[in-house]
Amino acid sequence: MSTQPDLLYSEEEEALRAAVRDLLADHCDAPGVIARTESDAPHDLAAWKALADGMGLAGLLVPEAKGGQGATHREVAVVLEELGRAVAPVPYLTSAVVATEALLACEGEGGLLAELASGRRIGALAVALNVVPGGAYKVVRHEGGVLHGELTGIADAAVADVLLVPADDGGLYAVDADAVTVTPQVSLDLTRPVARVVLEGAAGRLLGDAEPAVRRALRAGAGLLASEQLGLADWTLTETVRYLKDRKQFNRPVGGFQALKHRLAQLWLEVVNLRAAARGAADALATGEDVDVAVAVAQAYAAPVAVHAAEEALQLHAGIGMTWEHPVHLYLKRAKADSIAYGTAGAHRAALAELVDLQAP
């Protein structure tokens, strides 16, 4: 019997939110994130260490018996909301969610889960960031016990210690980053870089079957990405409201003009609805009920709202898109990049139509 999803935050989840927000205020302030995007090392490994090692958040999805915290996707969703609010350049979604979920589906993970859970190593699933759950993905050639091939669009590969690589024999292999060549690719989102990964006779350790592991990993990634998009949309709305209260035109606050009030009210409704969709997906992933439907609904809705919120923030801050020192451009770029991550809204709507047997005419 199906139960109603619980969309409210528990006291523990609110306490977790406060702790993560405090940590990010210390580590991921806007000037610091902007400075990092201009450097050769966009990832903030000090913030990652504080999240993973200091707070144990990298192992939330890993059972205690395997070296993790034994929490659920609901707690992970709260962490991702805060990371989205800060556009934090840390490999949390890619390592603590996607790579971890792939390993949870593998019998032969051999202690790798515990290493990812502790934050000692960073993992990345070597599947392009734009692949929709259940979609086709590129594989490498497994020949003579080693792997050959090239994969592109791999998020956070530059900072990964171990790559989980699907091969043409149907297996998923753990490959040390030292054994491959990682070349940065140009990415719109400066805070989540993507890279090309080339394997030329790289040794890999077989973890298990690739197909179920990749499907599970991408489904969790898509479902929890909605929480990151929620955090991003919430921050841009809050900051825009704050700015419009302070900014004066014709000797009165700009936010007092009726036309802008209507735009903000519309955006607020969209963000509230996104919160419901994102919480629904997180709860479904945690309970295992109607997961595919909840994830497809969340992703079909999340991308347009996050992009709209960031675009409105850019416009209502008087169109300061060319002012590099203000962080709003980072939010717009992350929102646009997230809108194709783990499948577009259109791909998720098509998946949803199939799931509920609502075929196109």
Side-chain angles (χ1 to χ4, degrees), residues 48 52 58-59 62 95-96 99-100 103 111-124 162 164:
W48 169 251
V62 180
S95 182
T100 296
L103 288 173
L112 196 49
L113 265 175
E115 292 184 339
L116 259 58
S118 68
R120 287 196 303 277
R121 299 182 86 189
I122 295 169
V162 60
L164 311 182

Side-chain angles (χ1 to χ4, degrees), residues 140-149 175 179-181 198-204:
V140 298
R141 199 170 77 256
H142 183 260
E143 195 176 287
V146 291
L147 302 168
H148 302 266
V175 179
V180 303
T181 306
V198 178
L199 299 93
E200 294 172 337

Side-chain angles (χ1 to χ4, degrees), residues 10 40 70 81 89 119 129 134 139 159 166 173 182 187 191 209 213 215 218 225 241-242 244 302 326 336 355 357:
S10 67
D40 294 333
E81 282 181 37
L129 184 60
V139 296
V159 79
Y173 290 84
V182 177
S187 171
T191 59
D209 292 341
R215 190 173 64 243
L218 296 184
L225 177 67
V241 169
R242 188 186 61 73
L244 293 180
H326 195 284
K336 291 293 279 185
L355 286 166
D357 200 24

Side-chain angles (χ1 to χ4, degrees), residues 6 18 94 146 162 173 221 238 248 252 267 292 295 308 315 330:
D6 179 7
T94 44
V146 291
V162 60
Y173 290 84
T238 304
K248 293 208 167 37
R252 60 181 283 197
L267 194 54
D292 292 328
V295 168
H308 182 214
Q315 279 203 352
L330 295 178

Side-chain angles (χ1 to χ4, degrees), residues 18-152:
V20 175
R21 190 173 295 189
D22 283 351
L23 185 148
L24 293 174
D26 292 339
H27 283 278
C28 286
D29 62 324
V33 173
I34 291 169
R36 217 163 258 296
T37 61
E38 296 173 6
S39 73
D40 294 333
H43 290 97
D44 189 338
L45 293 180
W48 169 251
K49 188 170 176 9
L51 285 163
D53 192 19
M55 294 182 71
L57 299 182
L60 286 180
L61 292 177
V62 180
E64 289 182 38
K66 295 193 173 182
Q69 305 294 327
T72 74
H73 300 80
R74 292 175 59 95
E75 287 81 11
V76 173
V78 170
V79 174
L80 280 166
E81 282 181 37
E82 292 307 310
L83 294 176
R85 285 180 64 87
V87 282
V90 294
Y92 191 84
L93 183 67
T94 44
S95 182
V97 176
V98 177
T100 296
E101 284 276 354
L103 288 173
L104 285 167
C106 295
E107 291 298 318
E109 54 87 19
L112 196 49
L113 265 175
E115 292 184 339
L116 259 58
S118 68
R120 287 196 303 277
R121 299 182 86 189
I122 295 169
L125 180 66
V127 170
L129 184 60
N130 66 322
V131 175
V132 68
Y137 52 88
K138 198 173 173 187
V139 296
V140 298
R141 199 170 77 256
H142 183 260
E143 195 176 287
V146 291
L147 302 168
H148 302 266
E150 180 182 302
L151 302 164
T152 55

Side-chain angles (χ1 to χ4, degrees), residues 217-240:
L218 296 184
R219 186 175 72 170
L224 291 168
L225 177 67
S227 291
E228 177 186 291
Q229 290 164 303
L230 166 62
L232 189 154
D234 192 50
W235 184 91
T236 49
L237 173 60
T238 304
E239 280 301 299
T240 305

